[in-house]
Amino acid sequence: MTLTGKCRCSAVNYTLDTDAALAVYACHCQHCQTWSGSSFALHALVPADALSLVGPVTHYAYDTNSQHADHVVCSQCHTRLFNTTSAAPGLRVLRVGTLDNSPALQPVAHIWVKHKQPWLSLPDTIASWPESPTPQQFAEALSASGR
Ligand SMILES: [Zn+2]
Ligand SMILES: [Zn+2]
């Protein structure tokens, strides 16, 4: 399957080539709320080599809690497209809202729901955790979703 996406100004375009189902999840942590200017962020974990970008990008990297993160943004409109983190080697954390067909993708998990906006109701049928799940818990939620 090949998916396409772009930043807000369209200077950066990308393709995502993967046969694996996308592990889409919503993060309700306060960092994601601040960073998105919204109530949660929608992410997908994708293999690093599945993502090909064309266009001008700039990086914002930082270290926290002994983890290193590198965020890739359009250098013109500053849309954040994806990041890498030492917590998930070999993967990229894609911002799902930058995909052209993002409405076709539904989250299989919600994390950091202890900071969820109070007006937002989540379906009982989707896995959720007060903070971050372990990789094993997350993998179990993925397989339980039938993907
Ligand atoms: Zn842009
Ligand atoms: Zn978050």
Side-chain angles (χ1 to χ4, degrees):
M1 145 181 86
T2 300
L3 301 173
T4 56
K6 57 183 170 302
C7 65
R8 176 64 181 84
C9 79
S10 300
V12 179
N13 287 266
Y14 67 83
T15 56
L16 174 65
D17 272 298
T18 177
D19 290 328
L22 284 190
V24 178
Y25 64 97
C27 182
H28 299 260
C29 85
Q30 290 167 315
H31 291 310
C32 283
Q33 292 185 15
T34 301
W35 216 325
S36 67
S38 187
S39 45
F40 59 86
L42 208 53
H43 297 159
L45 294 169
V46 302
D49 60 4
L51 203 55
S52 306
L53 272 79
V54 178
V57 296
T58 189
H59 292 254
Y60 171 63
Y62 61 94
D63 293 291
T64 179
N65 299 331
S66 74
Q67 291 176 3
H68 179 76
D70 182 21
H71 290 249
V72 175
V73 305
C74 169
S75 59
Q76 287 188 22
C77 70
H78 293 186
T79 298
R80 199 165 46 122
L81 296 155
F82 73 90
N83 70 278
T84 58
T85 168
S86 56
L91 298 175
R92 287 174 169 176
V93 186
L94 180 68
R95 302 274 123 37
V96 169
T98 64
L99 282 165
D100 292 328
N101 71 337
S102 59
L105 301 167
Q106 292 191 19
V108 297
H110 290 261
I111 71 172
W112 282 99
V113 295
K114 77 178 191 181
H115 292 305
K116 181 179 72 62
Q117 297 282 319
W119 49 263
L120 181 62
S121 300
L122 302 179
D124 296 336
T125 50
I126 293 185
S128 68
W129 291 272
E131 297 183 359
S132 281
T134 65
Q136 185 183 358
Q137 288 173 322
F138 190 74
E140 284 168 6
L142 271 185
S143 56
S145 74
R147 299 188 182 208

